[in-house]
Amino acid sequence: MTIRLFIASAFLVLGGLVGAQSAGTSSFESQLERAQELNTTAPWRETRALLDAIEPRLAEATPEQRADFWLISARNRTLAGNMETALGQLEALFGEPLTLQQEIRAYSLAANIAVLLRRWEETFGYLNRALELAGQLSQSEITNAPFSLAAYVYAKIGETTQAIEYGKRAVEIGQESGNARDVCFGHARLAFVYKTAELFEPARRHYREALENCQETGDELVTGTTESGLADLLRATGDFKQADEVFQQALSRLEETGYHYGLAEARFYRARLHWQLDEHEAVEALLEASLSALEDDEAWDYVAEAYGMLSEIESESGNNEQALSYMRQQLDARESFLDLERARQLAHLQVAFDTRSREQELALLREQRRVAELESESRRHRDRLRWMVYAFAVFLFLVMVLLLVHVLRERRHFRRLAGLDSLTGLSNHTRLFDTARMMVDRSHHDHQPLVLAVGDIDHFKRVNDEFGHIAGDHALIEVARVLSENFPVPAHIGRIGGEEFAICLPGETVTQIMPKLDEVRAAMGRIDYGGNGKPLSMSFGVAELQPDEPLEKLRERADEALYQAKHGGRNVVVVAEPRERDLG
């Protein structure tokens, strides 16, 4: 399923907000029911018009109806792109008397909006609250909205096992309720989890189950987003013809809804399909129609991939200057995506840490209550029990000290993990360049040389395509090992992209490191990453620090040299020339 297309459709699971059904067509209640119906079957502008018309009549509504009105309004504002306004309406609702069902829907919707706004800490906070409240419902009352959202969010942070558990729970709840919309969302979310984990067969099965129920709802948006997810899966499994047919259906439905985020992502995914079919004109047309919305939505992983496709198209056409421009935009987008990924992981770790801390605080409170009870009893049995109270106080103090030590140790552990690449164990993008900036400043201060080398594995996409992602991961691990063996401390090495690495070498000159880079390139050919016998190779761009040169300029020169190496035959080292202004 798409990362943002299906988030949009997730709001549709919050239907059924109106309880009573017996009033006449002119009553506030019947108008509210009509607004709910339009909110899932018509473009958002029609619903907005009806909501604006009945808002002056809120004074005659019951508290529960007013809460339903603002829940429908918040969802409508979200579909219209007014997410801050929608979140503000929900936060105002949290202070009002709500039914348990309404409170769960409000927190689930707030979590969806927080995902769209890239506010990961708020996302996990709202989501955990919705799941906690859902646990208070009876089996017949429970809704699958927070569970289907949890499946998506946990799949995004790589917690596949937990995501599958949430997805299966959402499907189970939907099937028990018999509601087509709930069944649709449960299967679609579980399909997305399996697709993210590259378990394509169960993903295909659940997408088919989802579509059968989505089409029953008569909702073009939810059906279109589900079709788009299935089409992307068909593309990923090589069923290009059927994928194109399903994409046509999905785009037709989404164009009618006017939801520009979902439409932009569907076009992007169809561009992927045409890219695999080498239909470059279609790729350019689809990306031109979708890039602006993707950038506005900060979908930087998609944006980086889009600019990568455009760069290769321009390069094959001989437009090297434009290809270089697109490549730089690709690198900028990739950096933004990595920053967002880091923020998402940190938010998850922080929420997990806070949850554990609250549990420990509750444990301490329970112990303190027990102490108070013992103290009360000790007034009646002071002579006999006083020593027990003192001993327990000492025990409690030791427990608190041990808990504090444990918490501090976990905090340090989380901070260290946040700066490492989980696959290779090297520094990630942020940590590498934070350290490199300090090294550059120290080199300027001490008037010592420094070299920045940026390397990219040649034709790495072929490794994944021909031998699978497991072989690709093994190749990356082996490349990291070779680099670490040839460039020990004080050199600092990091993985800054998919197959891209960087090495910061303080106290070294280009002349000194060239033999080491040659050894690295020779070692690449000896790497066994799956018993296939095909050697790896790597291209490097190298730049030596100039007087008063900032890290950004140094990196820019190294990137330009790498670009020359990649387009000058690969498996070479290109040394960046000093800039004229640096030469004085």
Side-chain angles (χ1 to χ4, degrees), residues 303-320:
V303 173
E305 186 176 345
Y307 279 123
M309 287 188 281
L310 292 173
S311 177
E312 290 199 32
I313 291 173
E314 294 297 335
S315 177
E316 290 178 8
S317 301
N319 300 325
N320 291 334

Side-chain angles (χ1 to χ4, degrees), residues 229-305:
L230 174 59
D232 185 52
L233 173 66
L234 293 170
R235 174 202 61 79
T237 55
D239 194 347
F240 298 146
K241 181 178 179 181
Q242 189 176 2
D244 194 47
E245 293 174 357
V246 179
F247 266 130
Q248 290 178 13
Q249 296 173 5
L251 284 168
S252 176
R253 295 184 197 276
L254 292 170
E255 285 169 356
E256 292 180 7
T257 67
Y259 187 69
H260 69 283
Y261 292 130
L263 187 58
E265 290 183 356
R267 287 170 175 163
F268 167 76
Y269 276 108
R270 195 175 188 187
R272 274 182 169 174
L273 172 64
H274 288 293
W275 174 258
Q276 290 182 258
L277 295 172
D278 290 327
E279 296 171 354
H280 290 175
E281 289 185 6
V283 172
E284 291 179 300
L286 287 165
L287 293 183
E288 181 180 355
S290 61
L291 254 176
S292 177
L294 293 176
E295 289 175 332
D296 291 342
D297 195 31
E298 298 183 359
W300 299 120
D301 47 348
Y302 293 166
V303 173
E305 186 176 345

Side-chain angles (χ1 to χ4, degrees), residues 86-255:
L87 193 57
Q89 291 179 343
L90 292 171
E91 289 174 345
L93 268 183
F94 295 149
E96 299 295 326
L98 303 174
T99 67
L100 187 55
Q101 285 279 9
Q102 287 174 331
E103 197 171 1
I104 293 171
R105 290 163 181 155
Y107 276 108
S108 297
L109 180 53
N112 268 304
I113 297 173
V115 169
L116 289 169
L117 294 174
R118 302 297 198 279
R119 298 179 184 174
W120 296 109
E121 188 168 351
E122 292 181 41
T123 296
F124 287 110
Y126 291 137
L127 178 58
N128 288 345
R129 180 58 177 160
L131 290 169
E132 178 184 342
L133 292 171
Q136 301 176 22
L137 291 173
S138 66
Q139 190 65 28
S140 61
E141 296 173 326
I142 196 165
T143 174
N144 72 349
F147 296 96
S148 63
L149 177 59
Y152 170 79
V153 172
Y154 278 89
K156 290 301 297 173
I157 62 173
E159 299 287 345
T160 303
T161 300
Q162 193 165 1
I164 290 175
E165 290 178 0
Y166 280 126
K168 288 181 176 179
R169 180 64 175 139
V171 169
E172 177 185 323
I173 293 171
Q175 290 174 336
E176 290 177 355
S177 71
N179 183 287
R181 189 178 302 279
D182 288 346
V183 177
C184 161
F185 273 89
H187 281 293
R189 276 288 167 77
L190 186 54
F192 167 77
V193 174
Y194 281 128
K195 187 176 72 170
T196 301
E198 297 187 354
L199 300 172
F200 294 138
E201 282 307 312
R204 185 194 299 263
R205 184 173 66 255
H206 284 285
Y207 270 130
R208 296 293 187 188
E209 291 282 350
L211 268 180
E212 288 181 8
N213 289 276
C214 292
Q215 290 169 349
E216 290 182 20
T217 67
D219 190 322
E220 293 299 285
L221 178 56
V222 68
T223 304
T225 53
T226 305
E227 286 176 335
S228 179
L230 174 59
D232 185 52
L233 173 66
L234 293 170
R235 174 202 61 79
T237 55
D239 194 347
F240 298 146
K241 181 178 179 181
Q242 189 176 2
D244 194 47
E245 293 174 357
V246 179
F247 266 130
Q248 290 178 13
Q249 296 173 5
L251 284 168
S252 176
R253 295 184 197 276
L254 292 170
E255 285 169 356

Side-chain angles (χ1 to χ4, degrees), residues 354-373 392 395-404 406-407:
D354 291 343
T355 301
R356 192 167 301 172
S357 297
R358 284 195 299 271
E359 292 172 352
Q360 292 168 347
E361 289 172 2
L362 289 173
L364 288 176
L365 288 173
R366 287 192 293 269
E367 292 296 327
Q368 289 170 351
R369 240 184 348 260
R370 187 177 172 192
V371 169
E373 293 171 358
F392 187 81
F395 167 75
L396 182 61
F397 174 77
L398 291 175
V399 170
M400 293 175 67
V401 170
L402 290 174
L403 288 175
L404 179 60
H406 178 69
V407 167

Side-chain angles (χ1 to χ4, degrees), residues 468-484:
H469 289 281
I470 293 178
D473 288 348
H474 186 65
L476 290 171
I477 293 170
E478 287 299 300
V479 169
R481 178 188 59 77
V482 170
L483 292 175
S484 299

